Amino acid sequence: DTGVSQNPRHKITKRGQNVTFRCDPISEHNRLYWYRQTLGQGPEFLTYFQNEAQLEKSRLLSDRFSAERPKGSFSTLEIQRTEQGDSAMYLCASSLGANRGFNGYTFGSGTRLTVV
Amino acid sequence: AQTVTQSQPEMSVQEAETVTLSCTYDTSESDYYLFWYKQPPSRQMILVIRQEAYKQQNATENRFSVNFQKAAKSFSLKISDSQLGDAAMYFCAYGVEDNTDKLIFGTGTRLQVFP
């Protein structure tokens, strides 16, 4: 297992365009998280999936953002009509929920989005 | 609401010396977890050390140890015998085991290590 994989690593887009990021979690992990990290800040929670069900969304996740996790495997995060304020690092993490104590909570390398 | 505060935006240390990074947090929970994560430039967030709040003994991982003061809500990280590879952003994080297990992070401390 190669850990949590995120693609692309970098994305530059023009304001108003739509972008989609992909996260492939560790295969046996049933929990998947998206975080956003802006410059000079720590990661902030965006949303959480248990298997294919999206169980929690942060107020940071405006209606321009949508996330899916079909069949409980990989996940996608789409941002519609991007704005310059969306420029950030988008981090994905996964964990095995039954493995208590936050064991195995693993982050990917992130997708850096720049909106110009 | 739970918050995590890291008051040192930057710290520096000479190779082989010891450095302490500070973290305070606010919570009304009695059972929770605290973490230190390392984020090297352009690389993934890596767990350095984890502390369970109900355990009084401070966690230790090789050169990394914590000073957990539950009453003071303080959780500092000590790096002994600092190495060039320790240079990175360090984030303090808090989590409660619930239906979500999401983490709350501080703003980070950039550690520079000089030879």
Side-chain angles (χ1 to χ4, degrees), chain A residues 9 31 33 35 37 40-43 45 48 50 55-56 91 97 100-103 105-109, chain B residues 33 35 37 39 42-45 47 50 91 95-108:
Chain A
R9 292 294 304 274
R31 294 185 168 200
Y33 305 82
Y35 288 82
Q37 185 178 12
Q41 299 296 317
F45 170 79
Y48 155 68
Q50 182 162 317
L55 298 184
E56 186 168 336
L91 296 170
R100 304 310 296 170
F102 291 86
N103 283 313
Y105 204 109
T106 304
F107 282 86
S109 297
Chain B
Y33 290 80
F35 309 84
Y37 278 89
Q39 188 179 42
S42 302
R43 297 187 62 185
Q44 72 182 110
M45 193 93 64
L47 178 66
R50 179 183 61 185
F91 291 97
V96 171
E97 281 189 319
D98 57 15
N99 293 332
T100 308
D101 286 2
K102 61 178 177 284
L103 296 176
I104 298 169
F105 287 85
T107 51

Side-chain angles (χ1 to χ4, degrees), chain A residues 46-47 54 57-67 77:
Chain A
L46 289 179
T47 191
Q54 188 176 20
K57 292 195 292 186
S58 162
R59 283 174 290 180
L60 294 175
L61 213 65
S62 77
D63 55 8
R64 296 186 297 105
F65 289 69
S66 62
L77 178 68

Side-chain angles (χ1 to χ4, degrees), chain B residues 4 8 16 35 37 46 79 81 102-104 109 115:
Chain B
V4 177
Q8 304 157 317
F35 309 84
Y37 278 89
I46 300 166
I79 306 175
D81 186 25
K102 61 178 177 284
L103 296 176
I104 298 169
T109 296

